[in-house]
């Protein structure tokens, strides 16, 4: 039976051969997930041998990663704003930029009593759940067109003990007949071509429905901007995560629907978030 240190070395070599740049970290995370320990313990017990049945389970996990399946789907969870979020192939793996957006919202609205929040295209529920956890007085509605994604959201609410959140299947705002102080969405915004050029982990495993939108990636963003006004209270705000080259087109489209447009960058300096206020109520 091989020792942990041998397994760590051979597995890192295997994943490197598959072109995975984070090979060492990935092996440590897979192994510590399987053994239920932290990464440091792997090295503290590196001379221990691995039992046969655990070894075959580990080989299965490693071959999935070797096929470029995202580590988060293999492990089945990800940390997002201090929440443990379950993920499977029905939902997008929450991104760091989205966590930045949550931080931005929290610091901007910290001292305002937010009573109602709509998370449109909630997926795993990362945004809605993080905001529900922080703004405990807020009523959050989490919406997705995909019932299978919404089942993951519900599971994540229970897993994190969050109760100030409801769930609804809707094609964007079509079935919504309430108003909100904050509507937030990270909608699909890639073009087909951009999607085809993403790494294997994304294009072969993450749901295309969650990532790609027609009209140069802008169709869903425009649909939301064109219809959100009637679902906002006076002074309500629509916040969107977007592609980094879309702000000019969005600003030009949004001026028909909102009086105030604000573009914000992510930590890498790319245009990433849009804040819209003062609906013109020109919605048909
Ligand atoms: C980019 S993912 C965002 C997931 C999650 N909010 C996050 O930030 O990690 C887009 C989400 O929008 C959902 N979606 C796509 N089209 C939709 C539609 N027409 N109506 C409602 N939700 C939709 C997808 O199922 C997916 O969960």
């Amino acid at each position: 039976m091989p020792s942990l240190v041998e397994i760590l070395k051979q597995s890192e070599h295997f994943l490197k051969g598959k072109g995975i740049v984070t090979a060492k970290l990935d092996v440590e995370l897979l192994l510590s997930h399987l053994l239920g320990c932290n990464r440091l313990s792997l090295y503290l017990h590196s001379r221990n041998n691995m039992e046969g049945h655990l070894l075959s389970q580990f080989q299965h996990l490693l071959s999935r990663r070797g096929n470029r399946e995202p580590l988060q789907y293999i492990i089945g969870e990800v940390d997002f704003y201090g929440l443990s979020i379950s993920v499977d192939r029905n939902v997008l793996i929450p991104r760091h930029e989205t966590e930045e957006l949550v931080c931005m919202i929290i610091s901007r609205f910290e001292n305002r009593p937010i009573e109602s929040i709509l998370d449109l295209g909630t997926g795993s529920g990362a945004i809605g759940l993080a905001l529900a956890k922080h703004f405990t007085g807020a009523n959050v509605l989490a919406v997705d067109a995909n019932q299978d994604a919404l089942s993951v959201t519900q599971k994540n609410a229970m897993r994190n003990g969050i109760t100030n959140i409801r769930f609804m299947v809707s094609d964007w705002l079509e079935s919504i007949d309430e108003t909100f102080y904050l509507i937030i969405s990270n909608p699909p915004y890639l073009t087909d071509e951009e999607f085809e050029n993403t790494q294997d982990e994304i294009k072969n495993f993450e749901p295309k429905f969650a990532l790609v939108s027609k009209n140069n990636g802008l169709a869903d963003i425009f649909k939301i901007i064109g219809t959100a006004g009637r679902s906002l209270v006076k002074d309500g705000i629509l916040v969107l995560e977007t592609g980094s080259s879309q702000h000019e087109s969005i600003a030009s489209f949004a001026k028909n629907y909102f009086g105030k447009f604000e573009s914000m960058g992510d930590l890498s300096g790319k245009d990433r978030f849009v804040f819209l206020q003062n609906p013109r109520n020109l919605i048909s």
Side-chain angles (χ1 to χ4, degrees):
M1 274 183 295
S3 66
L4 280 180
V5 71
E6 286 163 339
I7 292 169
L8 283 162
K9 269 200 194 129
Q10 287 164 12
S11 308
E12 181 185 343
H13 181 72
F14 170 74
L15 289 188
K16 269 194 180 144
K18 298 282 180 184
I20 295 174
V21 284
T22 51
K24 183 168 190 281
L25 177 65
D26 287 11
V27 170
E28 291 170 355
L29 289 171
L30 284 176
L31 208 45
S32 53
H33 165 70
L34 181 71
L35 300 178
C37 64
N38 60 37
R39 283 161 56 210
L40 180 62
S41 302
L42 298 175
Y43 293 97
L44 291 175
H45 302 103
S46 62
R47 302 275 157 218
N48 290 5
N49 292 332
M50 201 164 171
E51 306 266 342
H53 72 285
L54 284 174
L55 184 59
S56 62
Q57 283 179 42
F58 177 68
Q59 281 164 342
H60 175 63
L61 300 182
L62 190 70
S63 81
R64 285 172 65 184
R65 186 66 192 111
N67 287 333
R68 307 298 292 256
E69 184 171 345
L71 191 78
Q72 296 90 333
Y73 285 153
I74 302 172
I75 290 176
E77 65 181 357
V78 55
D79 183 81
F80 185 91
Y81 202 77
L83 298 171
S84 165
I85 297 287
S86 272
V87 286
D88 64 27
R89 290 184 61 181
N90 292 303
V91 297
L92 190 89
I93 298 163
R95 306 293 203 261
H96 290 301
E97 292 85 352
T98 309
E99 213 168 3
E100 281 176 41
L101 177 60
V102 167
C103 294
M104 209 178 259
I105 300 272
I106 285 173
S107 65
R108 197 182 267 225
F109 299 104
E110 190 64 85
N111 298 317
R112 295 194 228 170
I114 298 191
E115 284 174 5
S116 50
I117 300 172
L118 172 60
D119 175 16
L120 269 185
T122 190
S124 65
I127 298 177
L129 290 168
L131 294 178
K133 183 183 172 199
H134 187 85
F135 296 107
T136 48
N139 226 309
V140 178
L141 180 62
V143 162
D144 207 288
N146 177 3
Q147 174 61 68
D148 292 331
L150 216 50
S151 302
V152 177
T153 324
Q154 280 171 291
K155 183 164 123 189
N156 280 325
M158 286 209 309
R159 185 186 173 100
N160 289 284
I162 292 172
T163 52
N164 54 330
I165 186 162
R166 293 169 292 136
F167 315 91
M168 187 191 274
V169 174
S170 174
D171 178 4
W172 298 132
L173 291 132
E174 213 156 289
S175 310
I176 311 291
D177 57 9
E178 322 169 32
T179 51
F180 300 86
Y181 179 76
L182 174 67
I183 299 181
I184 181 161
S185 184
N186 172 20
Y189 56 71
L190 296 184
T191 63
D192 264 310
E193 198 190 342
E194 284 169 337
F195 179 75
E196 289 311 322
N197 287 328
T198 57
Q199 62 205 55
D200 288 352
E201 279 84 348
I202 299 176
K203 85 170 164 242
N204 294 341
F205 292 93
E206 293 204 87
K208 189 173 178 185
F209 177 70
L211 286 161
V212 173
S213 191
K214 294 189 174 127
N215 186 15
N216 284 327
L218 288 162
D220 290 292
I221 288 176
F222 284 180
K223 177 108 189 261
I224 294 169
I225 292 175
T227 51
R230 65 169 179 243
S231 300
L232 282 170
V233 299
K234 188 172 169 288
D235 297 331
I237 296 176
L238 170 63
V239 181
L240 298 169
E241 184 173 328
T242 72
S244 57
S245 60
Q246 295 176 325
H247 283 201
E248 214 179 300
S249 311
I250 296 174
S252 154
F253 179 82
K255 63 176 183 275
N256 298 314
Y257 298 94
F258 284 88
K260 189 171 165 203
F261 170 93
E262 191 183 351
S263 164
M264 302 286 292
D266 61 23
L267 285 179
S268 71
K270 291 185 178 148
D271 282 349
R272 184 64 64 195
F273 313 113
V274 159
F275 286 67
L276 295 162
Q277 217 173 351
N278 304 338
R280 294 193 191 282
N281 291 325
L282 292 176
I283 301 120
S284 53

